[in-house]
Amino acid sequence: MRREPLQITTSGTPLTQVEADVLAVLVVEPGRLTPAGAALDASLDGRLAHLLADGELKATTGSVGLVHTRGELGAHRIAAVGVGSEDAIDADALRTAAARVAARIGEIGGGTIAWVIGDGLALPLVEQGRAVVDGTVLATYDPGAWKTHGERRAPLTQLILCGPEAASVAEEAEWAGVVADWTNRCRDLVDMPANELTPTRLAETAAEIAASVPHLRCEILGPEEIRGAGMGALAAVAQGSATEPRLIVLEYDPPGARDDLRLGLVGKAITFDTGGISLKPSARMEEMKSDMAGGAAVVTGIAAIAALGLPIRAIAVVPATENMPGGRAYRPGDILTALNGKTIEITNTDAEGRLVLADALVDARRRGATHIVDLATLTGAVVIALGDFYAGLMGNDEGWLGEIEAAAAASGDHAWRLPLHETYARYIKSIYADMKNSSDLRQAGSIYAARFLQEFAGEGPWAHLDIAGTGYLERSRGDYYTAKGATGYGVRLLAALAERLVR
Ligand code: BES
Ligand code: MN
Ligand code: ZN
């Protein structure tokens, strides 16, 4: 569902004169204001200090107290928002605080939020600005687009970052707003049910996005072209479904980009994963509409990179299909030939993500990707290992993995390394073919999958992000800038990665 983007500005106006529906200040442990809030409270006869003393305003991360001004300030209200202990304030805490304020103001009825940044915090000003923008924009996401009645939240119209130095981060704040907006568009796609978001519809969306952003080009392959090109793994997964597969390719080729580097983005887009003949249990199977979260992140991530006009060449390859059982479905025991000629014995049709990615990785290399990162809701095992906050990160190149880790940390799309030692190569051995797609060893399932992908990643640097736990939440994380459902994981990471590479 499309929203008007939030207007993001900066202002050096004295805080007492800032005009807004609400001006947000921080409450830190043990229940005290930061310097900006304390200075404002002087104009409010110390009412904030009284409320703190009475325990009505709290430092607990995300707690919000609203206090009306009586014409003493330009702002109509103060939001005093808890962020925990001052020396532990990081971007995650600020995102949560900003999201809480945005949600409260949304309930009241929209308008303008002013946020004080700077204010003696150790966190660099630019990171404060980005976190406040992220938290505010992500909090406006509404998953209830299919409700025919019930209240629509009144939209926020403007976010003003305030403080003497705020203007120095104006450009970064505006960029963060663009990226957060694409993150919400990613969430739209991931939350969309599989009867609406078919591979065809995803391809159409990618084409529309390409037409709306400069220097972005879209190419779509249908079933005959997929089969004809030799993508036997993607074709096999797709053959059980009545809806056609698509291979979606987006190329971003801006003028002035260096030509020794072409970023390759590969994303798994299983629009619904039933498991196929190796059928999944029915409990919570509806969540498998989100098995295209990697593909959605890649489509909207390259769009964000292009919308920012970053001077970097990039190519996105997204294999999109359903994984269904049926009379035409691929079977356990089948042996497939992938695009690079390698053969795969199928031992579990539910290990389909690695199959569609195999062909897409080879295709991305052939199209000239020098540095590849793939995103995929690939294994339940990564949810067991890392839960819902860190994606699993594996790859073949230390330097490249370092870049991904840095982008992950900077963006708030967190990632944690898992080892990819050569000894794991024995896991994927098959008696009949070059490899098999799963094993009955209940060991290191996420590493197994990554080691399988490595067979198709080609020569250059490649990194794999297993986002099964982070792309779509089974339940809220309590951080307020995400909720149960789609998170848009990867969009902010990919934009941060591209920014690092052009710096
Ligand atoms: N899409 C699933 C992985 C998944 C699980 C994503 C839970 C999000 C939440 C993937 O295709 C899958 O089914 N993986 C299997 C692999 C197994 C058969 C080797 C799994 O993890 O159980
Ligand atoms: Mn599966
Ligand atoms: Zn899957």
Side-chain angles (χ1 to χ4, degrees):
M1 194 190 49
R2 228 55 301 291
R3 296 152 289 266
E4 275 304 300
L6 185 73
Q7 193 191 337
I8 295 162
T9 58
T10 59
S11 165
T13 307
L15 297 180
T16 51
Q17 289 163 40
V18 170
E19 289 182 19
D21 292 301
V22 65
L23 173 60
V25 300
L26 304 181
V27 181
V28 296
E29 300 288 1
R32 68 179 176 74
L33 297 163
T34 49
L40 285 164
D41 200 26
S43 304
L44 297 172
D45 297 329
R47 294 209 297 283
L48 298 178
H50 275 127
L51 290 166
L52 282 164
D54 288 353
E56 287 181 43
L57 302 179
K58 293 190 176 62
T60 320
T61 303
S63 96
V64 188
L66 291 181
V67 178
H68 275 250
T69 63
R70 303 181 190 126
E72 303 109 321
L73 300 177
H76 190 61
R77 299 177 192 85
I78 293 285
V81 52
V83 282
S85 150
E86 183 159 12
D87 36 78
I89 294 176
D90 59 9
D92 295 315
L94 274 188
R95 269 190 286 274
T96 292
R100 280 294 283 149
V101 171
R104 278 298 291 279
I105 297 312
E107 286 161 16
I108 291 170
T112 301
I113 300 179
W115 258 90
V116 183
I117 58 168
D119 203 15
L121 299 189
L123 190 69
L125 193 70
V126 56
E127 289 191 38
Q128 292 182 42
R130 286 184 174 195
V132 169
V133 170
D134 281 355
T136 307
V137 176
L138 296 178
T140 64
Y141 178 70
D142 176 6
W146 292 269
K147 292 182 194 289
T148 55
H149 54 82
E151 82 263 35
R152 281 272 164 275
R153 278 189 228 145
L156 299 176
T157 51
Q158 196 184 1
L159 172 66
I160 313 171
L161 300 176
C162 304
E165 312 287 333
S168 67
V169 302
E171 191 183 37
E172 288 89 345
E174 195 189 316
W175 284 24
V178 171
V179 175
D181 198 48
W182 281 105
T183 305
N184 281 340
R185 291 186 64 172
C186 178
R187 297 165 86 179
D188 283 334
L189 293 172
V190 176
D191 276 334
M192 204 176 277
N195 61 326
E196 289 188 20
L197 194 79
T198 59
T200 319
R201 173 82 181 271
L202 183 60
E204 283 163 8
T205 306
E208 282 162 25
I209 288 173
S212 73
V213 183
H215 311 300
L216 196 58
R217 214 176 56 74
C218 183
E219 185 187 330
I220 310 280
L221 272 59
E224 287 78 31
E225 292 150 307
I226 289 167
R227 184 72 76 181
M231 299 186 183
L234 171 56
V237 174
Q239 76 192 33
S241 173
T243 123
E244 290 187 356
R246 292 288 183 268
L247 186 85
I248 303 165
V249 181
L250 287 167
E251 260 186 272
Y252 174 51
D253 210 345
R258 52 193 271 209
D259 48 35
D260 60 331
L261 187 148
R262 178 175 282 197
L263 184 57
L265 310 176
V266 174
K268 169 181 173 182
I270 301 296
T271 56
F272 196 75
D273 182 11
T274 65
I277 297 298
S278 313
L279 193 64
K280 287 181 181 296
S282 57
R284 294 216 314 259
M285 202 204 274
E286 72 278 9
E287 292 178 355
M288 282 301 120
K289 70 176 181 179
S290 68
D291 209 20
M292 34 57 71
V298 158
V299 167
T300 51
I302 199 170
I305 291 167
L308 296 176
L310 295 176
I312 184 172
R313 296 204 299 165
I315 180 156
V317 179
V318 175
T321 176
E322 285 185 334
N323 183 27
M324 298 292 276
R328 287 156 53 101
Y330 79 134
R331 297 151 285 252
D334 285 4
I335 296 177
L336 320 175
T337 303
L339 184 56
N340 64 354
K342 292 191 182 179
T343 55
I344 305 164
E345 179 199 358
I346 301 306
T347 48
N348 190 322
T349 63
D350 197 11
E352 84 298 338
R354 61 203 71 181
L355 300 173
V356 304
L357 289 172
D359 284 335
L361 286 165
V362 175
D363 189 53
R365 276 289 181 223
R366 288 193 181 169
R367 291 174 185 268
T370 60
H371 294 67
I372 294 184
V373 54
D374 77 70
L375 288 95
T377 47
L378 207 57
T379 65
V382 86
V383 194
I384 307 285
L386 297 173
D388 58 12
F389 196 61
Y390 284 87
L393 171 62
M394 289 151 273
N396 64 0
D397 183 281
E398 278 304 315
W400 185 231
L401 286 165
E403 290 290 337
I404 310 288
E405 278 178 322
S411 67
D413 282 338
H414 299 286
W416 198 263
R417 288 278 289 274
L418 294 173
L420 201 46
H421 189 277
E422 228 355 76
T423 189
Y424 296 113
R426 67 197 149 84
Y427 282 23
I428 69 172
K429 292 222 161 78
S430 158
I431 300 171
Y432 304 104
D434 295 337
M435 68 198 88
K436 61 180 191 268
N437 78 330
S438 76
S439 87
D440 50 16
L441 275 179
R442 296 184 65 238
Q443 289 183 9
S446 306
I447 296 174
Y448 184 111
R451 185 59 191 78
F452 182 98
L453 295 181
Q454 194 176 353
E455 294 292 316
F456 304 92
E459 286 308 309
W462 153 77
H464 159 62
L465 283 160
D466 192 333
I467 64 167
T470 52
Y472 183 95
L473 305 181
E474 296 167 20
R475 67 183 72 82
S476 161
R477 270 186 328 214
D479 58 22
Y480 297 102
Y481 56 91
T482 64
K484 175 182 157 59
T487 62
Y489 183 99
V491 179
R492 290 181 299 143
L493 186 155
L494 292 176
L497 178 65
E499 274 181 58
R500 287 182 63 78
L501 296 174
V502 300
R503 212 182 288 149

